[in-house]
Amino acid sequence: MAEAPKASVVPVDGVAWPEPEEEEAVVGAIVIPTMVQKYQSPVRVYKYPFELVMASISLILFSPSLFPQAYERRFPTCHLIPMFVASDVVNEDTSEDGSVHKVERRCALDVDAPRLLKRIAGMDYVYFIQRNSLNRKERTLHIESHNETFSNRVIIHETCCYSVHPENGDWTCFEQTASLDIKSFFGFESTVEKIAMKQYASSIKKGKEIIEFYLKELEDEGISHVDRWTPSSHPLPPPTTTPTSLSTSPPVLPELSSSTTTTTASLVPSTTPLLADGDSIPEEASNKESGAVALVDDQAGTPDDKLDADYIKRYLGDLTPLQESCLIRLRKWLQETHKGKIPKDEHILRFLRARDFNVDKAREILRQSLTWRKQHQVDYLLESWTSPHVLHDYYTGDWHHHDRDGRPLYILRLGQMDTKGLVRALGEESLLRHVLSINEEGLRRCEENTKVFGRPISCWTCLVDLEGLNMRHLWRPGVKALLRIIEVVEANYPETLGRLLILRAPRVFPVLWTLVSPFIDENTRRKFLIYAGNDYQGPGGLLDYIDQEIIPDFLGGECMCEVPEGGLVPKSLYRTTEELENEDVRLWTETIYQSASVFKGAPHELLIEIIDASSVITWDFDVCKGDVVFNIYHSKRAPQPARKEPLGPHGLPAPGGNNVQLIDKSWTQGQDYSMVESALTCKEGESVQGSHITRWPGFYILQWRFHSMQACAATSLPRVDDVLATLQVSSHKCKVMYYTEVLGSEDFRLTRLECLPL
């Protein structure tokens, strides 16, 4: 059988739309390729009353009698949206009091596609069904659109919503979601996907221009206010005639003047968004979950902690609409799986940029990084880590003002650093922790500079002076420590380095570069600028990036720099290999979390003995791999001594992790032990927190069990979704990282049982 066509990576509007979104439906021996793309807009806030915004778009959606001031805007074409050529009213309905008006239209679009593709498809125009529901009493407009043309091959669905800002009745909010599902299209699936996403991205950019054009037109006509609806303010509109613009013959696009224009609110895929940028800045509460920086001005927040378009522009930078959508989708996934403790928006954005806005790839590396940060308590590193005195005296690096772009500037005099002495005196892990503290401080400084300079600053500049670099710096254990540090930083602090200036590179530098460059991401390597000798003093040199007044004195400037001068670490400070190994183990085992492996048929169980009833068992665990089922049992009998499972599935040794089983196979549930909580299924990547108030003393067993897919109850055959999920499981092993604690009832006030996936 010929290989089924697959989606390629399609770069559209700055986003490399990924292959992982492709799915395959398995039906018998037939494999049907399915390409799925999704879009989610931020909340776009327009600083005009709902009624005025509706007046600017009413004619294309509703009859002119609802908003007479829009009457002269001719229907059904618009010079700002040339691909929208015509539409017919299929159905129209108005409530008895005139508050709710519904219109269904059939719209024709002239899609910008290759002529050959149109001939193969046998269609010049693409037709969509659009349903609009205006509730003038509740001040909402809901729009739903889907394609009629080739609906058995391509499914395009979109919803839009205009509503009143929850905290400012004179502002209007706009949101939209859309999905593109290409099942098959004559072997041109990738081409159709690329065309659709390109046109959709282009239309989103044009949205704000359209709405502003018609608001300006209303203003020029002296219309700056539209009364709110009241039961007696608007009688039922007279019956409207149905245009015949969608006849079998091609519709004719009429000539348009400034007085014969119209607009549209939602036509998939090209004319949907009316607002490309918002005009409000949400209040601090709009990012309270992620601990974002405090926002300026007294603007109102957006509902339900949703991202506001102007907040994105002010604090995250200029993102394309599709990049905004990727951020919102990944943020939503984090809220669902890590509720209450998601990282800051700028940190999420860094992981997306590191993977070219491929949501699936970014989600995976972000999930791994969050687990790493949690396990090693990296969020508290700046408060808990105290640098040894050796680092204060001999580590030749420190923060130094900022560059011309406002980025924090870090200076490292690597050529003056005794890397061998530092490794021998401190060990690899202490150096790694020190570098991590530098990165954490860099994140903090980026937030501060964002406030100070009034623009988003998400990365820093690093200046590395290599004067003095020699073969001593190529000492093998030192290079090994450097590569380890690079690996950890690349995995957990992506897109934090905005520019790396390497000055006074000696002849030995190419040797060092050959060793370390394979471990540096390609995007990061493109940010390197290397100057040999005194080249940095000429045109295109240091002054292009750093102001003259802050150039350090050792580089010919006049600014005193607090970076230590370094020198050789005294051998009296060296420590033995055994001492360093013990120190390294202690550093990275200082964690309150434990790891465990869960196998099919071999759950991991934890015993907690309760002396006083009404105690509270609390837990916090992350599912690092696979899906698990979490249970809590109670027994009056003490289990036998913990039985560790030495073998994994199929009798193979369990590689890493801990696996302990307590419940004896001879025990009967309901007699020897009982379940005290409903089973909780936890998906890979989820973080779960909860608590249980004990009713009886005795022995409580927390169990993590392998989650197996269940076949559909109505038939002996598995569902397609089950088959797909099974194919994606690489092994019968799960991993969890957990922490538990028992609190006395007087220390934990809780009025009800909780078991919340966070």
Side-chain angles (χ1 to χ4, degrees), residues 282-410:
E283 63 182 357
E284 187 172 352
S286 70
N287 260 313
K288 57 182 180 294
E289 276 192 345
S290 59
V293 295
L295 305 186
V296 295
D297 297 336
D298 56 345
Q299 308 293 348
T302 54
D304 300 327
D305 192 38
K306 297 178 181 179
L307 289 183
D308 175 86
D310 197 58
Y311 161 77
I312 292 177
K313 184 175 182 179
R314 166 63 179 83
Y315 290 96
L316 303 179
D318 291 321
L319 303 179
T320 67
L322 298 181
Q323 289 173 344
E324 290 177 341
S325 174
C326 292
L327 172 62
I328 292 169
R329 288 165 55 199
L330 183 53
R331 191 174 185 267
K332 182 179 179 181
W333 175 81
L334 286 168
Q335 288 173 326
E336 292 173 350
T337 59
H338 294 71
K339 188 175 181 181
K341 48 185 177 179
I342 68 173
K344 299 175 182 179
D345 296 323
E346 54 266 36
H347 198 58
I348 300 173
L349 188 59
R350 291 185 182 103
F351 283 85
L352 282 167
R353 284 177 170 146
R355 291 298 180 266
D356 295 324
F357 286 87
N358 184 312
V359 176
D360 289 337
K361 292 181 179 179
R363 178 170 53 210
E364 178 60 23
I365 61 172
L366 179 57
R367 181 184 63 80
Q368 294 175 1
S369 179
L370 292 177
T371 300
W372 171 82
R373 294 182 68 89
K374 185 174 183 179
Q375 183 173 9
H376 300 299
Q377 301 290 287
V378 179
D379 290 333
Y380 310 102
L381 188 60
L382 289 179
E383 294 79 14
S384 61
W385 167 250
T386 302
S387 300
H389 288 293
V390 177
L391 287 174
H392 287 290
D393 296 334
Y394 296 99
Y395 190 88
T396 55
D398 205 350
W399 294 98
H400 181 74
H401 300 285
H402 56 80
D403 67 5
R404 290 183 179 271
D405 296 323
R407 296 167 174 166
L409 175 63
Y410 189 83

Side-chain angles (χ1 to χ4, degrees), residues 729-742:
V729 176
S730 59
S731 68
H732 296 292
K733 176 184 176 181
C734 302
K735 292 184 68 176
V736 295
M737 184 180 71
Y738 65 89
Y739 167 73
T740 62
E741 185 177 4
V742 178

Side-chain angles (χ1 to χ4, degrees), residues 523-746:
N523 290 336
T524 303
R525 291 204 298 267
R526 285 197 290 263
K527 302 171 184 177
F528 284 32
L529 296 173
I530 304 173
Y531 300 89
N534 294 324
D535 292 348
Y536 70 91
Q537 296 176 345
L542 203 55
L543 281 175
D544 285 8
Y545 307 103
I546 301 175
D547 292 329
Q548 175 69 49
E549 58 268 20
I550 67 170
I551 293 180
D553 52 350
F554 62 85
L555 292 176
E558 300 178 356
C559 185
M560 296 300 295
C561 186
E562 297 181 357
V563 176
E565 294 184 0
L568 295 177
V569 178
K571 291 186 178 181
S572 60
L573 298 177
Y574 286 12
R575 303 168 70 183
T576 65
T577 303
E578 184 178 352
E579 288 176 333
L580 292 176
E581 288 179 353
N582 291 336
E583 177 71 9
D584 289 349
V585 171
R586 185 182 67 82
L587 281 173
W588 288 108
T589 54
E590 289 178 347
T591 173
I592 60 176
Y593 291 89
Q594 301 182 57
S595 297
S597 297
V598 179
F599 301 97
K600 190 173 185 180
H604 177 72
E605 295 166 342
L606 178 68
L607 179 65
I608 299 177
E609 184 176 2
I610 297 297
I611 305 299
D612 300 323
S614 299
S615 296
V616 180
I617 302 174
T618 66
W619 57 84
D620 178 3
F621 65 88
D622 288 358
V623 184
C624 304
K625 179 182 179 181
D627 300 343
V628 300
V629 177
F630 178 63
N631 290 297
I632 306 177
Y633 298 103
H634 172 263
S635 175
K636 296 180 180 180
R637 297 170 52 187
Q640 294 297 320
R643 180 175 86 258
K644 289 193 175 183
E645 182 62 43
L647 299 178
H650 312 298
L652 298 177
N658 186 28
N659 183 266
V660 177
Q661 297 174 44
L662 299 168
I663 300 178
D664 193 278
K665 293 182 179 180
S666 63
W667 282 17
T668 302
Q669 184 174 340
Q671 297 180 7
D672 302 293
Y673 68 104
S674 58
M675 182 182 295
V676 296
E677 286 276 10
S678 299
L680 179 65
T681 301
C682 309
K683 301 294 184 180
E684 179 177 321
E686 287 190 344
S687 180
V688 181
Q689 293 178 335
S691 58
H692 172 75
I693 302 177
T694 62
R695 298 178 59 186
W696 316 280
F699 300 91
Y700 286 80
I701 301 173
L702 276 58
Q703 181 193 78
W704 291 269
R705 177 168 50 84
F706 184 89
H707 176 59
S708 301
M709 279 290 183
Q710 299 295 326
C712 181
T715 175
S716 59
L717 295 176
R719 297 175 301 172
V720 171
D721 290 345
D722 296 338
V723 175
L724 292 174
T726 303
L727 293 175
Q728 295 172 356
V729 176
S730 59
S731 68
H732 296 292
K733 176 184 176 181
C734 302
K735 292 184 68 176
V736 295
M737 184 180 71
Y738 65 89
Y739 167 73
T740 62
E741 185 177 4
V742 178
L743 303 174
S745 57
E746 67 277 3

